[in-house]
Amino acid sequence: VEQELGIQAGLQDRVVQVYEGLVYMDFEASFMEKRGHGQYERLPKRVFDWFVSLPLFLAYESDPSDSGKIHSNVRARWDA
């Protein structure tokens, strides 16, 4: 994603792309230390149907900041 679009994408973005739907993600420390990744579960259609039945609120920023500036050094901060 970063190379194709020139933007930073987090690991959660990639998990959703792989599972192609609404995904439960658990990043519990001992699980992550043992396996090197979080615990992921694609949620059933009934959960998605419930979710989309909720009122929709859209937040819009007319002059957004570049999130790449914030996310671009995440790895360096993690390694520090």
Side-chain angles (χ1 to χ4, degrees), residues 2 9 37 43 45 48 52 57 74:
E2 290 106 353
H37 58 81
L43 297 173
K45 186 175 179 333
F48 179 79
V52 298
F57 297 93
V74 168

Side-chain angles (χ1 to χ4, degrees), residues 51-75:
F51 184 75
V52 298
S53 74
L54 298 174
L56 173 66
F57 297 93
L58 179 63
Y60 173 77
E61 178 68 43
S62 62
D63 187 21
S65 66
D66 178 5
S67 66
K69 290 178 184 175
I70 296 166
H71 294 100
S72 62
N73 67 350
V74 168
R75 183 61 191 218

Side-chain angles (χ1 to χ4, degrees), residues 26-40:
D26 188 343
F27 300 101
E28 194 268 324
S30 65
F31 188 93
M32 298 245 334
E33 288 171 10
K34 249 185 227 175
R35 300 210 169 89
H37 58 81
Q39 184 175 359
Y40 314 120

